[in-house]
Amino acid sequence: MPSSNKDKPKKGKNVSPPKGEGPNIWMQLGLALVVFLALSAGYSLVRDYVTNKSEEVPLSQIATDIDAGKITAITIEGDSLTATYSDKTTKTSRKESEASLTQTLSGFQVSPEKLGAVAIDIKDEGGIRFWFLTLVPILVPALLLFGVIWYLSRQLRGGGGMQAFTFGRSLARLISPEDEVQRVTFKDVAGAKEAKVELTEIVDFLKNPKKFIQIGARIPKGVLLMGAPGTGKTLLARAVAGEAGVPFFSISGSEFVEMFVGVGASRVRDLFQTAKKAAPAIIFVDEIDAVGRIRGTGVGGGNDEREQTLNQILVEMDGFEPNEKVIVMAATNRPDVLDPALLRPGRFDRRVTIDLPDRKDREDILTTHARQKPLGPDVKLFVIAERTPGFSGADLANLMNEAAILAAREDRKELTQFDLIRSIEKVMLGPERTSHVLNRREKEITAYHEAGHAIVSSVLPYADPVHKVSIISRGRAAGYTLKLPFDDKRMQSKKEFLDDIAVSLGGYIAEKMMFDDLTTGASNDLQVLTSLARDMVTLYGMSDKMGPMAFDASRGRAMFGNGLEGGERSEEVAKQIDHEVKQIIDSCYKKAEDVITTHKKAFVAIAKALVEVETIERDEFEKILIANGVTPKKKEDIEHQPLA
Ligand code: ADP
Ligand code: MG
Ligand code: ZN
């Protein structure tokens, strides 16, 4: 199905075939091995020839043969000796290094007369033979090594335009406008209306650059897409290329990070050159924060390679002719860490923010991804959209896919609403761990813990209503309480934060109250609520005592500008912050404790039901509340609350 093909933008073609991926590393190693074997075989052949191999015999044999008068001459060369027989054959042997031949032979009882009849010739070890035998075994490997090093360094410098050796990494990927399978257009991107409007201008320019140039308009060089992970930045960039029908060269910032110094810069140079030749074209640098972090702060250890790569990108962008028809797009989810030099006019001066999708957009994205999937009659995508606030486009695509997998596993031909609902939780919380069976006591503790969260969330006016409570472990959590707001929230108020903290404390309080003991199960809750309380004091100005001021929470310093600088504040301030955080948590604790004691009957009923059935859905949950004298929240109640 095409839509899922489009989900994988990574497998494009390589830029310009001659520079392509090149023969892979195994082929190269194999070739080196073959060359090496051939060389060593050649060496031993030549050596045998030079040493004109003849039969090797023990020295005692030579001695006997001298005694028998068969040998006419002996040539000594170092420790080896060659005996020439009367029939002109030769035999070789070896003697001890220290002793002279005559000494050795007399040791073998050779008579001096017989020995005198033999012509003994002592040669210096030297000449070609000597040099060949001693030097070649040392020189050849050394030369080979030098050869390989030279070859590699040439490859790495990327000189000569030949890049056969790329360590298995590919260069920029290219999606050409003719590639129907990989082509993406704005139709494939659901929602993101503002971003599309902004980008339409870029599309217009790429389609018809003349119109803009004639009227003297300065053409944008760089467009920076900013947004949370999975919001469709990469997809949108590809869609711009698809809409305009121009080639799309993409490379990811993270690919530069672990490379050798200089490689990144030369790749950038190459990439820009290739793109200019193909103009009009788009160059897309994904995850540009990996190379574009603020330079020279020493944060992250000052990576030379990164700086060089970034510099090269800037140099290339500055070097564009005024009307170069190449547009550089980049994406990041950390615009806050980008080097200001990147954002200067003439560089990435167009910035497009992509928000998480709202309810309508989520429905559209779900619809887009449901195109190739047969949906059953009971499927209502708007309900799924309602239940997935905070999901990104990628999460929703993932959700659809999980649902299809569920249906396929159960051999069904259509997706049902239940498949989708189960997939929400899977995407949100990780897969159920059915193998992780709680023992009786753990089960009870978890049930009361979750009931604690659930009852506080149901009673406090600014907390979100409960959709589901479960004591089946998922991901790291032993159980979970799923609460969802009635509407998407763009802002959060102080009262909501306070109720959230109380809800988080509900589990802890429940354990303490029922078992007079605590487990490690509450530790994640405590982390979350503590950092929320700290943010209220240090970031949002929600503490009356500290007032409307933003602090660097870790050091109690007031923040200025981007928060990197700022005067040191006294210990006193840090202490006051800690005190305020504790105050907030204490008051929320009291509130949550009150709720649980007042509604103990409902609280215990929920816990008991959980031990029995393990998972309670919203309808069932509200019935339990009503039966125990708690009125469930309705959407209208929330809307009529005074603005918090
Ligand atoms: P980002 O680059 O922002 O992290 P991607 O562009 O890689 O996100 O998105 C990942 C996947 O999520 C896409 O391939 C697509 O399947 C899906 N997706 C994200 N946003 C949308 C959207 N607005 N419409 C349709 N699909 C989307
Ligand atoms: Mg991306
Ligand atoms: Zn909890």
Side-chain angles (χ1 to χ4, degrees), residues 183-440:
R183 188 158 172 242
V184 174
T185 62
F186 280 162
K187 270 216 296 300
D188 299 295
V189 187
K193 278 170 223 79
E194 293 93 344
K196 280 192 210 165
V197 170
E198 290 266 334
L199 291 172
T200 309
E201 192 186 323
I202 308 285
V203 172
D204 281 349
F205 165 70
L206 286 169
K207 265 186 176 161
N208 194 355
K210 244 192 235 133
K211 188 172 80 184
F212 288 78
I213 293 169
Q214 270 167 1
I215 207 165
R218 193 174 63 83
I219 301 315
K221 280 186 191 170
V223 181
L224 183 63
L225 302 173
M226 307 184 296
T231 42
K233 299 180 292 296
T234 310
L235 190 70
L236 255 175
R238 290 175 62 201
V240 171
E243 285 286 324
V246 301
F248 181 75
F249 297 88
S250 82
I251 195 158
S252 169
S254 56
E255 286 170 37
F256 292 120
V257 174
E258 72 243 47
M259 286 196 299
F260 300 96
V261 173
V263 186
S266 87
R267 290 217 175 150
V268 168
R269 207 157 38 229
D270 262 13
L271 173 62
F272 275 76
Q273 245 164 32
T274 324
K276 278 184 203 166
K277 270 185 225 136
I282 289 180
I283 294 177
F284 180 57
V285 187
D286 209 349
E287 294 161 46
I288 196 171
D289 46 289
V291 289
R293 273 165 195 269
I294 299 169
R295 287 171 292 183
T297 53
V299 183
N303 182 330
D304 261 356
E305 173 59 14
R306 227 175 48 201
E307 291 201 3
Q308 287 197 14
T309 309
L310 174 60
N311 283 339
Q312 192 62 40
I313 294 176
L314 298 179
V315 166
E316 293 290 344
M317 288 181 79
D318 288 345
F320 277 173
E321 303 290 313
N323 293 317
E324 203 91 60
K325 297 172 203 91
V326 175
I327 288 182
V328 185
M329 297 184 78
T332 181
N333 46 29
R334 300 289 314 275
D336 51 316
V337 302
L338 287 186
D339 196 299
L342 273 173
L343 307 176
R344 242 184 42 192
R347 291 171 177 169
F348 291 100
D349 48 358
R350 294 288 168 104
R351 268 157 265 172
V352 178
T353 309
I354 307 172
D355 291 317
L356 283 174
D358 60 19
R359 196 170 61 194
K360 182 78 192 57
D361 288 349
R362 286 198 299 273
E363 193 179 336
D364 291 346
I365 295 174
L366 285 169
T367 314
T368 310
H369 286 274
R371 261 191 235 150
Q372 258 77 29
K373 301 182 178 73
L375 300 182
D378 67 329
V379 171
K380 290 189 190 70
L381 290 179
F382 73 88
V383 175
I384 304 299
E386 236 168 44
R387 279 193 166 208
T388 45
F391 271 44
S392 68
D395 291 333
L396 293 167
N398 189 7
L399 183 160
M400 266 303 187
N401 190 46
E402 289 291 342
I405 290 173
L406 278 176
R409 254 201 223 158
E410 292 168 13
D411 286 327
R412 277 180 282 112
K413 295 269 175 288
E414 284 179 336
L415 276 67
T416 63
Q417 185 77 348
F418 187 50
D419 292 330
L420 292 167
I421 290 192
R422 280 187 290 171
S423 305
I424 297 179
E425 282 153 33
K426 188 161 180 191
V427 171
M428 200 187 271
L429 306 157
E432 278 187 2
R433 294 195 305 173
T434 35
S435 64
H436 186 88
V437 183
L438 301 174
N439 66 31
R440 170 102 203 137

